[in-house]
Structures are given as structure tokens and as C-alpha cells.
Amino acid sequence: MEFPPRSSSKAELLSSLINPSSLNKQTFSSREAVYTTLKQLILSLKLPPGTAISEKEISLEFNVSRTPVRESFVRLAQEGLLEVYPQRGTYVSLIQVDLVEEARFMREQLERAVIRLACVQFPDEHMKILEQNLAQQQECILEPDDERMFGLDEEFHSTLFAGCNKKNTWSVIQHMNVHLNRSRMLRLSSDHHWDHLLEQHRSMVQAIQQHNAQTAEHIMQEHLHLTVTDLAVLRDTYPSYFQ
């Protein structure tokens, strides 16, 4: 069973999500608007792995010339989100398992270190953000919203880095996360039983409050190792999405 389509057709999907009137032209150039929107559609799996897209259809939907579209395609290809085949076309890249594992490995090493730092000292204002985040995750479980839950998960982890004055480290992680994030999004979308994820996040916050670095690091390690188990299941369920 493949990932459930978000729209009856790709054309309708693009038409509904790429709305030129909704783009703030004063904030974004045409290139940035195309790049940002396409990246969001790919990472959220609204444009699933393997989907064919063309400069012509995107330029028509955005009502822009092909130049900003071509530049956006190049940028997305450099990030590993598009595959460009001369004479054949451009496709949303398949999820590469080895890159998922490499990103998970890097995150595990860095996040275990960061949560240990958080257990030594963590600002009250960032703790409040974590607590608010947990409450919003609970709301999301009661009324499932894949993209919101993914965003809250990202915010939870980025807040840990911010509270430990490691924002730049989090930014570096994001450059390697594109394949990992799509597998995470696929997992959230295909299984709405998110209680275990929330409970792990709550346990991390409690360990930080108790300055229990050993427990916090252990929970973080278990939390990030879920990706390994999930990946095996996802590859069996959605084989056409993986390389």
C-alpha cells in the first residue's frame, strides 16, 4: 500500500498549494518562493519520492519564467531532493537509506551530548517553551495532524540546542536531514499512534529538570533509535519510495 495521495492529481495538488497570490513577493524573490514551496511539498511528501516534475508545469503554476524554476531545481538537486536526468526529466529523489542512517547517526551523537549539557544548566525560558510544546503535542495526538506533529517534534529538539547555546550545531544538522526527515514524515503519516513519542519527550524534560544526565541521554538514544526500527517497516510498506 503506497502513501495515500493528498489530492486527486498532481496538477490539482500544485494548483491548490502553489498560489501566487498567497506568496509574499516583498519577502521572497520568485526564486525563493519556488524553492521554499517546492521544498516544503517534497519534505511533507505531498510530492512523493519518484514524482516527475518539469520546469514548464512549475513555471506555469507560479506564473514565473523558467529561470527561477531552473535555479530552484539546481538548488534542490544539490540538497539531494531532486534527481535531474538529461533527456529524461526531473524527479523527486527516492529516499536513500544510507543517508537516513548517516543523518540519524550524527543526530544521535550530537543530541546525546546536548541533552547532557541541558541537564547541567537549562534556561527557564527554554524550559517553558518545551512544556508548551508538550501540551501542543498532546493536542496533536487528540486531533492528528501529520505536519503539525512533525513541526512540533522539530521544535522540541531545536529548543534543546537553543537552550544549550548550540543553534549553529542544529543548523548544521539540518543540512544532512533531508532524507531522514522524509522517512520521519512518512512514519508519522502512516501511523498516528504517537503516544510513545510524546512520552519519551516528557521523560526527557523530566530528566532535565532533575539534572539526571544519564537517564536523559539513555532516553534520547532510545528515541533516535526508533528510526532504525521504523525504517525497516517503512521500506517493506513503501518500497517504491526508497533507493
Side-chain angles (χ1 to χ4, degrees), residues 114-207:
V114 162
I115 203 166
R116 290 190 71 91
L117 289 176
C119 288
V120 176
Q121 183 176 4
F122 199 73
D124 290 341
E125 60 268 26
H126 287 87
M127 180 56 70
K128 290 178 181 177
I129 294 174
L130 289 181
E131 291 171 342
Q132 292 169 355
N133 181 281
L134 293 177
Q136 291 175 317
Q137 287 186 46
Q138 181 63 59
E139 293 173 0
C140 209
I141 288 176
L142 296 175
E143 296 183 18
D145 183 328
D146 309 340
E147 290 186 55
R148 185 186 181 205
M149 189 62 178
F150 179 86
L152 290 170
D153 189 11
E154 285 287 277
E155 180 187 282
F156 181 91
H157 288 269
S158 68
T159 301
L160 291 177
F161 281 78
C164 295
N165 196 28
K166 295 292 183 289
K167 287 184 179 181
N168 288 332
T169 305
W170 177 255
S171 295
V172 170
I173 289 175
Q174 298 314 297
H175 290 297
M176 287 188 63
N177 259 355
V178 292
H179 291 275
L180 174 61
N181 283 346
R182 284 194 293 167
S183 69
R184 289 171 55 215
M185 188 69 205
L186 185 57
R187 190 269 182 193
L188 291 173
S189 301
S190 58
D191 182 1
H192 286 169
H193 294 90
W194 302 332
D195 302 78
H196 185 53
L197 296 176
L198 174 58
E199 187 54 39
Q200 286 185 325
H201 286 154
R202 282 176 173 159
S203 296
M204 289 181 208
V205 170
Q206 184 177 29

Side-chain angles (χ1 to χ4, degrees), residues 107-118 164 217:
R107 280 195 64 165
E108 179 185 333
Q109 306 312 309
L110 293 174
E111 296 214 37
R112 286 170 61 185
V114 162
I115 203 166
R116 290 190 71 91
L117 289 176
C164 295
E217 183 180 357

Side-chain angles (χ1 to χ4, degrees), residues 19-170:
N19 183 355
S21 65
S22 68
L23 298 171
N24 188 336
K25 299 288 187 178
Q26 294 179 343
T27 303
F28 296 104
S29 65
S30 296
R31 179 182 59 192
E32 284 300 312
V34 174
Y35 165 78
T36 301
T37 304
L38 285 179
K39 185 171 184 177
Q40 178 185 356
L41 294 177
I42 294 170
L43 291 178
S44 66
L45 300 177
K46 290 188 173 83
L47 285 177
T51 301
I53 60 175
S54 71
E55 291 180 9
K56 180 179 179 180
E57 70 176 332
I58 299 301
S59 64
L60 288 173
E61 293 296 344
F62 271 99
N63 193 28
V64 297
S65 70
R66 289 199 183 187
T67 299
V69 176
R70 187 176 302 113
E71 291 172 346
S72 298
F73 276 22
V74 169
R75 190 171 171 185
L76 291 166
Q78 290 173 339
E79 294 180 13
L81 291 174
L82 289 182
E83 293 286 350
V84 181
Y85 299 99
Q87 312 305 320
R88 288 175 53 194
T90 300
Y91 298 82
V92 176
S93 66
L94 299 179
I95 300 172
Q96 296 186 39
V97 174
D98 58 335
L99 295 181
V100 172
E101 168 54 26
E102 186 175 359
R104 184 211 61 79
F105 173 80
M106 181 179 70
R107 280 195 64 165
E108 179 185 333
Q109 306 312 309
L110 293 174
E111 296 214 37
R112 286 170 61 185
V114 162
I115 203 166
R116 290 190 71 91
L117 289 176
C119 288
V120 176
Q121 183 176 4
F122 199 73
D124 290 341
E125 60 268 26
H126 287 87
M127 180 56 70
K128 290 178 181 177
I129 294 174
L130 289 181
E131 291 171 342
Q132 292 169 355
N133 181 281
L134 293 177
Q136 291 175 317
Q137 287 186 46
Q138 181 63 59
E139 293 173 0
C140 209
I141 288 176
L142 296 175
E143 296 183 18
D145 183 328
D146 309 340
E147 290 186 55
R148 185 186 181 205
M149 189 62 178
F150 179 86
L152 290 170
D153 189 11
E154 285 287 277
E155 180 187 282
F156 181 91
H157 288 269
S158 68
T159 301
L160 291 177
F161 281 78
C164 295
N165 196 28
K166 295 292 183 289
K167 287 184 179 181
N168 288 332
T169 305
W170 177 255

Side-chain angles (χ1 to χ4, degrees), residues 7-26:
S7 166
S8 58
S9 72
K10 183 176 65 173
E12 291 176 6
L13 174 68
L14 291 171
S15 295
S16 64
L17 292 172
I18 302 176
N19 183 355
S21 65
S22 68
L23 298 171
N24 188 336
K25 299 288 187 178
Q26 294 179 343

